[in-house]
Amino acid sequence: MTQPLDLHAISAHYGTTKVLEDLSLSVQAGELVSLLGASGCGKTTTLRLIAGFLSPTTGLIQLGGRDLTRLPPHKRDIGLVFQNYALFPHLSVLDNVAFGLKQRGIGSTERRKRAMAMLERVGLAALADRAPGALSGGQKQRVALARALVIEPPLLMFDEPLSNLDAKLRVDMRVEIRQLQRSNGTTSVYVTHDQEEAFSISDRVAIMNAGRLMQFDRPEVLYRRPANTFVARFVGFENIIPFKVVARDGDVATAETAGMTLRLSQASYGAIPDSFLLATRPDGLVVSTDPAAEGLPAQLGLRTYLGRAYQYQCVTEAGHLVANGSLTTPLEARASVKLVPMPEQCTILSADGAQ
Amino acid sequence: MSDRPHPILIGVAALVYLFLMLPLVIVVGAALSDTTYLTFPPQGLSLRWFENIFEISAFRRTIVTSLQIAFMGTLLALLIGIPAAYALNRFRVELPKWLGTLFVLPILVPEIVFGFALLKSLTVGTGVPIFAALLIGHTLLVLPYVVRVISASLASFDFSIEEAAISLGSAPIKTFFTIVLPNVRAGVIAAFILAFITSLNDVSVSLFLTGPGISTLPIQILAHVEQFFDPTVASVSVLLMFLTVAVMAVVERTLGLTFLAK
C-alpha cells in the first residue's frame, strides 16, 4: 500500500516566471519528508505539482513506479490535508470522512463503518453527526486528517496543516499526526515554514529557497552540518566568519581572520579548504574576559536576556557577531572581550557557500 | 440604559415606510373603485376591473408572454451566468480584470440605449422573431444581476474545498455539482428572484423589442393608459405586484428566504 515518491528534474513556471528549477527528490516508502522554506520558496508549488493541480514544465513525477505527471488530480489517489481544513460545509462530519469512499463506489453501510472507525481513531466518533462549522480548529483538522486517511492513500500530503492553530495545540497535533503516520506507514510529504515543526516531525527535511532544493537530509544533519551558507543561516548559524589557512602541520591547519588566528584539527572538522567560512550559533562563541584567551577580540554592544543566557551584539574586525554569555556574570556594553569558538558547535563551509 | 431606539429614529423609519407604501395603497384603492375612471379614495367597492383584465385579450396574452419571457430568460441567464461567475472567481488571478466588468455592462449602459442597440442588432439587423428577440434581450438584461449575485456568493467560497473533493477522487464536473453548487445555493436563489422580477417589470428594453402581436404586460399597461382612463391599469398593476409577491412567497416556501437577512 505504501509507496515511494520520486520527483525527477521538475521545473515549473507561472507564466514566464520560473518558480521551481530542476528539483529532484526521492521520498522512500513510509517516510515522512518535510518541504521547508519561507513563502515563495516553491514548497507549496511542489505539493500542488504532486497533487496534480499544477503541471510541471519539464520533469517526471512517479509514485510507486506509476507515472503521475500527466494524470488528472482526481485519479492520483493522494490524501491531502489543507491549512484551512477545507471541510465540506454542507456535509456532516461523518459524510465528510465518507466522501472519498463514496467516490470509490463503496456501499453506504461499509462506508459508514469505515468512516466511523476512522473517526474513532482520531477521537471524534462522538461528533460524527455535527456540521463542520460547529467544530474547533483542532477538531476540524482531525476530521480533515480522517477524511484523507480513510481512503488509504499510497501518499499523504500536508499543506501547512497546523498554521491556523494556536501554539499549544500545534505541538499536540504534530505529535498526533506523526503517530498516525507512523502506525499507518503512509509515505508523506509535509509542507511547512516552521523549522521546529519540520525537524520534530520528519524523517528527512528538504530545505528550499527560490525554487531550488538547498539541502535534503535528516534533521540532525541539517542542524549540525548545514551544507551551505543559506541553510546555515536558516538553522541559526548567525555567525559566519571568513578564514584563510596560513599554515598546515599534518592534521592541524592554522587559519586567520582579521584580528585572530585559530588552530583547527581536521579530525574534528573534516577536510579544511584553503579558504573557508567558520559558522557558529550564538551559543558556539564563548564570551571570555580573559585577555590571554585565544579568540576574536570584540567590543560588546547591546545585551538582551534570553532566559537561559544573556545575548550580546558584538563588534569585531571580522564584522558584526552575536554571542551568548553566562547568566552569572552579566557584562556591560563597551566591555572588551574575546570570543572563543567552541569546535563542537562550529561547522566549516567552503568560501563559495557550498561545503 | 435602554435598548429602545431613539424616538426620532422611529419617526424617520415610519416616514420612509409610509413613503414607500402610500403609492401602493393608492393603486390598490383605485383598482377597487366602482367608477369608470381612476380615482382615490375608491368610490364603491368592486372587483369588476380585475375581471376586465381577463376580458381584454391583450392583457391575457401579455401576462402569459411576460411570465414565459421572465422564466425562460432567467433560466438562460443562470445557465450562462453560473459558469461565468464560477470562472471569474476560480481564475480571478489568471483572467484579465475587464472580463468581469464586461458582464456588468448591460446595467451600466442606460437601459434605453441598451434597448435601442438590441433593436438595431436583433430585430432590424437580422430579423430575429419578436419572441426570440425579447427572450435574448431579457436574458442579457438580467445576466449582470445573476453574475454579480453569484459572484458575491463565490467570493466567500474557499476553492481549496473543491480541491479537497477532487483529491478524494471526485471528477471536476461532478465536484462542481456536488460541492460547489450546494455551497452557493443561497446566491443562486437570490439571483433567480432578482432576475425574474427585473425581467417581469422591465419596460425600457421590452419597449424596443415588442412588435405586432407580441408584447409584455408592462408595455400593454402603457398602451392601455394611452387610450383608456378606466381603473383597469390600477388593477393590472396590483396583479403585477401580486405576481412579484407570489414569486417571493413560492421561493420562501420551498427554499427559504432567511439568507436575504444574512
Side-chain angles (χ1 to χ4, degrees):
Chain A
M1 187 191 90
T2 180
Q3 291 173 352
L5 171 75
D6 288 287
L7 308 183
H8 300 285
I10 300 285
S11 293
H13 294 76
Y14 278 133
T16 52
T17 324
K18 198 165 220 171
V19 287
L20 214 56
E21 199 167 337
D22 200 26
L23 177 79
S24 291
L25 194 74
S26 287
V27 183
Q28 289 162 21
E31 195 180 24
L32 193 156
V33 164
S34 284
L35 307 179
L36 175 64
S39 67
C41 74
K43 57 189 194 297
T44 298
T45 302
T46 307
L47 179 124
R48 294 178 64 76
L49 283 167
I50 301 169
F53 298 128
L54 292 175
S55 293
T57 324
T58 56
L60 207 62
I61 301 166
Q62 286 179 312
L63 182 60
R66 187 166 59 115
D67 184 8
L68 294 188
T69 321
R70 301 286 160 227
L71 206 63
H74 66 280
K75 291 185 176 156
R76 293 198 180 192
D77 217 17
I78 294 172
L80 269 175
V81 178
F82 294 83
Q83 175 176 354
N84 46 6
Y85 325 120
L87 298 178
F88 309 129
H90 62 301
L91 298 179
S92 71
V93 165
L94 185 72
D95 287 340
N96 262 276
V97 178
F99 185 86
L101 299 172
K102 194 174 176 185
Q103 308 309 315
R104 282 159 180 73
I106 291 162
S108 69
T109 334
E110 177 66 14
R111 219 152 64 203
R112 200 186 148 78
K113 206 181 95 193
R114 286 202 218 168
M116 275 312 282
M118 197 36 112
L119 279 173
E120 204 93 52
R121 278 188 70 188
V122 297
L124 288 180
L127 304 180
D129 296 322
R130 293 269 184 93
L135 305 183
S136 71
Q139 290 170 334
K140 281 182 189 166
Q141 204 49 295
R142 283 197 187 88
V143 175
L145 195 58
R147 184 178 67 177
L149 279 172
V150 77
I151 60 170
E152 299 179 2
L155 175 67
L156 195 55
M157 297 205 290
F158 299 85
D159 187 8
E160 309 234 4
L162 308 179
S163 299
N164 287 0
L165 304 177
D166 61 55
K168 168 86 175 73
L169 195 57
R170 221 157 33 217
V171 175
D172 295 346
M173 275 299 288
R174 77 183 185 214
V175 172
E176 212 167 306
I177 287 176
R178 181 56 161 163
Q179 277 168 347
L180 268 173
Q181 187 268 339
R182 270 274 173 82
S183 69
N184 267 32
T186 312
T187 312
S188 300
V189 173
Y190 191 103
V191 165
T192 181
H193 64 268
D194 183 330
Q195 185 187 321
E196 184 189 312
E197 191 176 306
F199 279 22
S200 70
I201 205 174
S202 314
D203 294 303
R204 286 192 292 168
V205 176
I207 296 180
M208 297 179 70
N209 179 42
R212 288 170 167 278
L213 184 59
M214 301 312 287
Q215 193 175 357
F216 180 37
D217 219 318
R218 292 184 299 116
E220 293 86 340
V221 176
L222 292 172
Y223 195 77
R224 292 186 50 84
R225 292 278 176 259
N228 47 57
T229 49
F230 177 83
V231 177
R233 286 188 206 282
F234 194 84
V235 298
F237 286 77
E238 288 180 52
N239 305 307
I240 296 182
I241 312 161
F243 276 89
K244 277 198 166 41
V245 174
V246 288
R248 288 183 191 269
D249 179 14
D251 184 45
V252 177
T254 306
E256 66 172 30
T257 189
M260 105 176 263
T261 307
L262 197 65
R263 287 158 55 80
L264 306 153
S265 111
Q266 306 216 59
S268 47
Y269 284 103
I272 296 170
D274 283 343
S275 176
F276 65 88
L277 303 168
L278 186 80
T280 79
R281 297 192 169 82
D283 278 331
L285 290 177
V286 173
V287 181
S288 171
T289 47
D290 176 4
E294 191 181 333
L296 198 59
Q299 192 172 49
L300 297 184
L302 183 70
R303 183 183 75 204
T304 51
Y305 177 63
L306 300 184
R308 59 188 171 82
Y310 283 114
Q311 186 162 83
Y312 299 95
Q313 307 297 318
C314 313
V315 179
T316 73
E317 285 181 57
H320 172 251
L321 300 175
V322 184
N324 289 349
S326 100
L327 283 175
T328 48
T329 51
L331 299 166
E332 294 311 315
R334 310 193 71 79
S336 286
V337 296
K338 291 283 182 68
L339 302 177
V340 184
M342 297 166 72
E344 66 274 21
Q345 295 207 36
C346 295
T347 193
I348 280 180
L349 306 167
S350 86
D352 61 11
Q355 196 170 19
Chain B
M1 291 292 284
S2 158
D3 282 345
R4 280 170 55 97
H6 196 277
I8 291 179
L9 185 65
I10 297 175
V12 171
L15 276 177
V16 169
Y17 274 105
L18 196 68
F19 186 70
L20 285 173
M21 301 304 287
L22 208 56
L24 302 183
V25 172
I26 292 174
V27 170
V28 173
L32 293 170
S33 176
D34 198 25
T35 54
T36 56
Y37 49 92
L38 272 172
T39 178
F40 188 88
Q43 293 167 16
L45 278 180
S46 158
L47 288 174
R48 58 187 272 217
W49 299 113
F50 284 92
E51 278 169 47
N52 194 41
I53 301 171
F54 298 98
E55 271 155 28
I56 302 171
S57 67
F59 275 125
R60 284 204 308 270
R61 276 203 316 275
T62 54
I63 287 171
V64 173
T65 309
S66 267
L67 288 173
Q68 281 174 333
I69 294 285
F71 191 70
M72 291 164 68
T74 300
L75 281 190
L76 278 176
L78 284 173
L79 279 179
I80 302 165
I82 294 174
Y86 171 81
L88 285 174
N89 283 276
R90 180 75 179 78
F91 307 105
R92 196 177 313 164
V93 185
E94 291 89 339
L95 291 174
K97 264 207 151 94
W98 53 263
L99 209 58
T101 317
L102 198 67
F103 283 95
V104 200
L105 275 183
I107 39 176
L108 291 183
V109 174
E111 271 187 52
I112 200 102
V113 176
F114 181 57
F116 178 67
L118 284 171
L119 173 75
K120 287 292 276 184
S121 52
L122 289 176
T123 318
V124 178
T126 49
V128 174
I130 294 168
F131 187 85
L134 265 174
L135 186 57
I136 295 170
H138 278 237
T139 303
L140 293 177
L141 174 73
V142 301
L143 189 58
Y145 297 99
V146 170
V147 173
R148 290 296 298 178
V149 172
I150 293 174
S151 279
S153 245
L154 280 166
S156 58
F157 180 77
D158 174 7
F159 282 97
S160 60
I161 290 170
E162 187 189 27
E163 291 184 343
I166 291 174
S167 77
L168 290 166
S170 172
I173 299 282
K174 188 179 171 194
T175 304
F176 178 79
F177 286 103
T178 58
I179 300 295
V180 181
L181 217 45
N183 282 300
V184 295
R185 212 189 88 204
V188 174
I189 297 166
F192 182 92
I193 295 173
L194 208 63
F196 191 89
I197 291 170
T198 302
S199 166
L200 197 64
N201 296 338
D202 169 73
V203 173
S204 328
V205 171
S206 307
L207 201 55
F208 285 97
L209 298 178
T210 49
I214 298 182
S215 189
T216 63
L217 185 57
I219 302 301
Q220 175 57 31
I221 294 174
L222 266 181
H224 191 85
V225 170
E226 282 170 359
Q227 294 173 40
F228 307 96
F229 197 61
D230 64 34
T232 312
V233 267
S235 55
V236 82
S237 303
V238 171
L239 190 71
L240 199 52
M241 273 161 53
F242 273 103
L243 277 177
T244 306
V245 171
V247 173
M248 303 283 282
V250 167
V251 171
E252 158 72 44
R253 267 301 165 85
T254 51
L255 304 160
L257 278 179
T258 43
F259 65 88
L260 283 181
K262 276 183 193 171

